[in-house]
Amino acid sequence: MSEALNRRGFLGLAGGLGLAAIAGCGSDGGSAAAQPQQGGRLRAVYAGGGAKEVLDPHVQSLFVDIARHKAIYEKLVELGPDLKPVPRLAEKWEPDAQAATWRFTLRDATWHNGKSLTTEDVLYSLARMADPSVPERVAQSSLATLDLKRCRAVDKRTVELTLTAPNAEFPALLAGIGTQIVPDGFKDPTKPMGTGAFTYVSFEAGRSLVAKRYADYWDGAARIDELQILSADAEARANALQGGQAEYANDMTATFARTAEAGRTVRIVAAKGSTMHAFVMKTDQAPFDNPDVRMAFKLLVDRQRLVDVVLAGRGVVGNDLFGKGYQYYPDGLPQRERNLDEAKALLKKAGLVNKEIEIFTADASAGFVEAATLLAEQAGEAGVKLKVTTGSTQTYQKDLLTKGVIGSHRSGAMPIPQYVTDRLLSKSPFNVTHWRRPEFDAAFAAAQVLTDETARAAKYAELQKTLRDEGGILAWGHPDYLVAVSSKVQGVQAVPPNTLDQGRFDKVWLA
């Protein structure tokens, strides 16, 4: 996720907004003793993307965009803390015996203009997400098997969705990024209209969104009256929170957390080991088109040192796979350990001793540059020279698809099959490792068809073992996901990013 804007840009905005007129203090975000209060304004600050920030809920990749869209719009399905799908606008769903046709029953919800949510809204939204003429819509890949011509409204509250190929994971795909439901005929993203807990007031890319409480929200009106979602880099987020110019700061560094915990005005809410930091190697470009070189790098890295130094110990070591602790993660695989001698032998065999390789990184996420620099030191111990090159923070995620043979990568929480769909299939839109194997694609598709969860999990485990041993992901650590809040803020949940209760501002209050 990108970070942008300098401190002056954010603090100038925050200063103009003034301080929240809120009194009192609380110390425990989820304490039963802290009675929910009504009213006030909450200012939440996220890593920004400058002019690239968007209001279109189907075109998003930044945490700040996702937070803004979540406040206004909703999905049919969301992810619970265990990364399993849970009902939202769809109150229930049921597949046929082959998991090729699914029936979703909508709950009784209203748009911000008072009109009722209908199945026509759902069908229009899905067609908009999957429109191949607009490649920026991020759910296209995950919804590629949706057969829109055969999908239909059974009645106003029941929609039948048919797939071109069976998929037992389909509800989880509807919880992915960019799957918000919009009204039938929605054309102008600059005029947001959702069913969410907050209604749109104003937006300025790179600076702020202002929204107000929607009194008729189906899941109970928010406790706060006004929500402001602001953009700033990591240092500015820290300064804003500590200076009383914000009450919530997303995605904070371990260094800030250690400092904040020494005081009483800021509280850290940590979702343990819930994201992934990795180096990604392009498997179709030299020298990483050689499987020996990929394995050599997986063996030369000191994962524990990276966790200790870059994450300040706030995380666990990775095992070259995404999703540690999530459903379908193959826990039985042995932890890969550092083996410099074997790494040196593989590098010598590949003719890379004393050769220079460029590693591409940016300050797009906390720890990227530090981790790349430390990897360069560790690679030097194995006889390889790594030159650290930094790119633009605002465009890094897109640039990584085409630039550099090895680079820094981070992923938030999502179901493992979703990660594979988005990043590891031949036609995946975010395939940063360029892992393109038709036999892998076919095996993954065959696994998704299995309606027996045990059998499906076994097939997923086989595929992940292949990825771990042959793929281009060097997952070195799983950091805690750190959110910092003012001691006035109550009700913030310690859950992974991209799940229902993360950034759930309708459920927080100000003491």
Side-chain angles (χ1 to χ4, degrees):
M1 299 294 171
S2 177
E3 289 186 355
L5 297 188
N6 57 29
R7 283 170 287 168
R8 181 180 299 173
F10 170 72
L11 293 178
L13 169 67
L17 293 172
L19 299 180
I22 301 164
C25 179
S27 60
D28 185 351
S31 171
Q35 296 300 312
Q37 304 294 314
Q38 195 72 34
R41 172 184 62 184
L42 185 136
R43 294 163 298 182
V45 59
Y46 283 72
K52 296 185 179 297
E53 295 177 9
V54 295
L55 274 182
D56 189 333
H58 300 153
V59 182
Q60 57 178 235
S61 61
L62 308 171
F63 276 141
V64 67
D65 287 337
I66 293 169
R68 288 166 174 159
H69 300 151
K70 186 172 188 173
I72 296 171
Y73 299 96
E74 293 180 285
K75 304 173 184 177
L76 292 173
V77 180
E78 281 279 11
L79 298 174
D82 55 1
L83 279 295
K84 292 183 180 180
V86 295
R88 291 310 290 162
L89 286 180
E91 63 183 14
K92 63 180 181 179
W93 52 82
E94 184 178 9
D96 64 5
Q98 291 75 40
T101 298
W102 295 74
R103 279 198 171 189
F104 290 81
T105 302
L106 305 185
R107 67 176 70 253
D108 186 10
T110 59
W111 298 101
H112 294 156
N113 61 5
K115 293 184 178 180
S116 295
L117 171 74
T118 70
T119 49
E120 295 302 325
D121 298 319
V122 172
L123 292 172
Y124 176 85
S125 298
L126 292 171
R128 189 176 190 273
M129 295 171 206
D131 185 350
S133 68
V134 189
E136 294 82 10
R137 291 177 184 160
V138 295
Q140 278 184 13
S141 176
S142 58
L143 299 180
T145 60
L146 193 61
D147 190 344
L148 290 168
K149 292 181 180 179
R150 296 169 62 199
C151 297
R152 67 187 184 96
V154 178
D155 54 44
K156 287 295 184 182
R157 291 189 59 197
T158 309
V159 63
E160 189 173 271
L161 303 181
T162 300
L163 311 180
T164 58
N167 188 341
E169 305 288 352
F170 181 61
L173 297 181
L174 293 175
I177 294 173
T179 56
Q180 280 81 356
I181 301 302
V182 297
D184 184 14
F186 177 81
K187 299 291 185 185
D188 188 356
T190 67
K191 298 177 181 178
M193 174 69 68
T195 60
F198 297 92
T199 63
Y200 172 78
V201 175
S202 66
F203 170 69
E204 184 178 355
R207 293 178 73 82
S208 73
L209 173 123
V210 179
K212 62 182 180 181
R213 181 172 66 96
Y214 178 44
D216 295 326
Y217 181 46
W218 67 267
D219 199 19
R223 296 182 176 112
I224 58 172
D225 294 329
E226 184 178 290
L227 172 67
Q228 296 179 1
I229 297 179
L230 310 166
S231 301
D233 65 21
E235 187 175 354
R237 296 199 298 279
N239 291 340
L241 189 66
Q242 291 179 315
Q245 295 168 314
E247 291 76 42
Y248 179 106
N250 188 63
D251 194 17
M252 302 306 288
T253 66
T255 301
F256 172 78
R258 184 169 58 244
T259 301
E261 286 173 340
R264 294 186 177 182
T265 61
V266 173
R267 182 168 50 84
I268 300 298
V269 181
K272 301 293 185 181
S274 59
T275 60
M276 179 186 77
H277 270 234
F279 300 111
V280 286
M281 303 170 280
K282 290 185 172 60
T283 60
D284 63 346
Q285 295 181 25
F288 295 108
D289 56 350
N290 183 339
D292 286 342
V293 177
R294 299 197 295 272
M295 182 57 70
F297 269 70
K298 293 174 183 178
L299 291 171
L300 68 81
V301 68
D302 186 338
R303 292 170 173 77
Q304 188 62 58
R305 178 153 176 76
L306 280 162
V307 169
D308 292 342
V309 174
V310 178
L311 306 182
R314 287 183 177 265
V316 295
V317 297
N319 200 20
D320 300 335
L321 286 174
F322 170 78
K324 192 168 188 175
Y326 298 165
Q327 184 184 26
Y328 303 129
Y329 186 83
D331 291 312
L333 293 176
Q335 174 64 48
R336 181 163 282 142
E337 304 288 349
R338 193 181 200 206
N339 189 328
L340 266 182
D341 290 339
E342 188 173 349
K344 289 177 180 178
L346 290 170
L347 292 168
K348 183 177 180 180
K349 178 183 174 183
L352 282 182
V353 175
N354 294 324
K355 297 292 179 65
E356 184 176 86
I357 301 171
E358 185 176 77
I359 181 168
F360 182 56
T361 189
D363 281 318
S365 189
F368 269 13
V369 175
E370 294 83 353
T373 302
L374 186 52
L375 179 67
E377 293 179 13
Q378 295 175 1
E381 297 174 24
V384 173
K385 299 177 182 178
L386 275 190
K387 177 185 177 183
V388 178
T389 299
T390 56
S392 165
T393 59
Q394 294 189 19
T395 62
Y396 178 76
Q397 301 302 329
K398 183 178 180 180
D399 292 342
L400 185 61
L401 290 168
T402 56
K403 294 183 179 181
V405 293
I406 181 171
S408 302
H409 170 64
R410 178 191 181 189
S411 179
M414 65 180 74
I416 288 172
Q418 178 81 46
Y419 185 87
V420 173
T421 299
D422 288 350
R423 292 172 170 84
L424 292 166
L425 301 181
S426 297
K427 295 184 179 180
S428 294
F430 306 111
N431 192 341
V432 291
T433 63
H434 296 189
W435 171 263
R436 299 184 180 101
R437 291 193 180 185
E439 66 275 17
F440 182 91
D441 299 349
F444 179 69
Q448 288 186 300
V449 171
L450 300 173
T451 55
D452 181 271
E453 189 170 299
T454 301
R456 192 164 69 249
K459 291 296 184 183
Y460 285 154
E462 292 175 12
L463 290 167
Q464 289 177 89
K465 185 178 187 305
T466 298
L467 285 170
R468 177 179 175 273
D469 293 340
E470 302 175 26
I473 298 174
L474 195 173
W476 58 263
H478 297 276
D480 299 347
Y481 191 79
L482 303 174
V483 168
V485 297
S486 161
S487 58
K488 301 173 183 177
V489 176
Q490 308 292 313
V492 176
Q493 300 296 310
V495 292
N498 300 332
T499 56
L500 172 61
D501 291 322
Q502 204 277 331
R504 187 87 190 276
F505 297 118
D506 58 310
K507 298 301 181 186
V508 303
W509 69 94
L510 298 158

